[in-house]
Amino acid sequence: MASKIDSELKSAAVLQQMQQHLQSDAGKEILAKIGFIYQFVIAPKKLGKDDEMFVVDLKNGKVYQGAYDGKPDATFSFVDDDFVALSSGKLNPQMAFIRGKMKIKGSMSAAQKFTPDIFPKPAKL
């Protein structure tokens, strides 16, 4: 059962698509390949101000709003626009980390599997 992501963030639309994507055959391949639980802390403009939390569970194929009940494999912190750029492939995860646009806590090996490839490709208009 998909839970509604209720947020004003642009990232929320990406995460909502991700939720549907994980139900597809391509999504099931991602689950088999990655199998980690990622938590995201996303702020509208500046981290630490009005942050929202989301979980992308690539073990069980769930995406939801809120904190993970337990210890996620990796937690990423972003500003909304940087998350959208990264998920669409416009921002390289390594460069985002080096430039301080993405903060990581938790397992670095789990974090390294977090790439734009796990996100559904935006529909071509």
Side-chain angles (χ1 to χ4, degrees):
M1 173 70 198
S3 59
K4 181 80 177 105
I5 294 175
D6 182 26
S7 169
E8 299 295 313
L9 296 173
K10 290 177 251 175
S11 303
V14 174
L15 291 163
Q16 194 78 47
Q17 287 179 317
M18 180 77 179
Q19 192 174 49
Q20 292 158 347
H21 180 60
L22 291 177
Q23 307 309 312
S24 72
D25 289 343
K28 287 180 176 61
E29 283 177 31
I30 290 167
L31 297 178
K33 193 166 92 179
I34 297 182
F36 289 117
I37 297 171
Y38 296 127
Q39 182 164 280
F40 298 101
V41 177
I42 303 173
K45 297 275 180 238
K46 186 175 189 298
L47 281 170
K49 187 162 171 34
D50 302 322
D51 297 351
E52 294 185 34
M53 294 179 108
F54 301 90
V55 174
V56 175
D57 179 342
L58 297 178
K59 279 185 182 159
N60 303 302
K62 297 180 187 151
V63 178
Y64 56 90
Q65 192 167 2
Y68 181 65
D69 185 24
K71 189 172 188 271
D73 293 297
T75 299
F76 299 90
S77 300
F78 297 95
V79 172
D80 194 24
D81 288 339
D82 292 336
F83 177 83
V84 172
L86 190 134
S87 65
S88 66
K90 292 185 174 91
L91 178 63
N92 174 298
Q94 283 85 4
M95 291 311 296
F97 180 70
I98 291 166
R99 292 184 181 148
K101 292 179 178 276
M102 174 174 78
K103 294 179 176 36
I104 304 170
K105 283 186 200 152
S107 163
M108 279 298 146
S109 59
Q112 287 172 334
K113 290 198 173 192
F114 173 69
T115 66
D117 301 343
I118 69 172
F119 292 95
K121 299 297 158 252
K124 300 274 187 275
L125 298 176

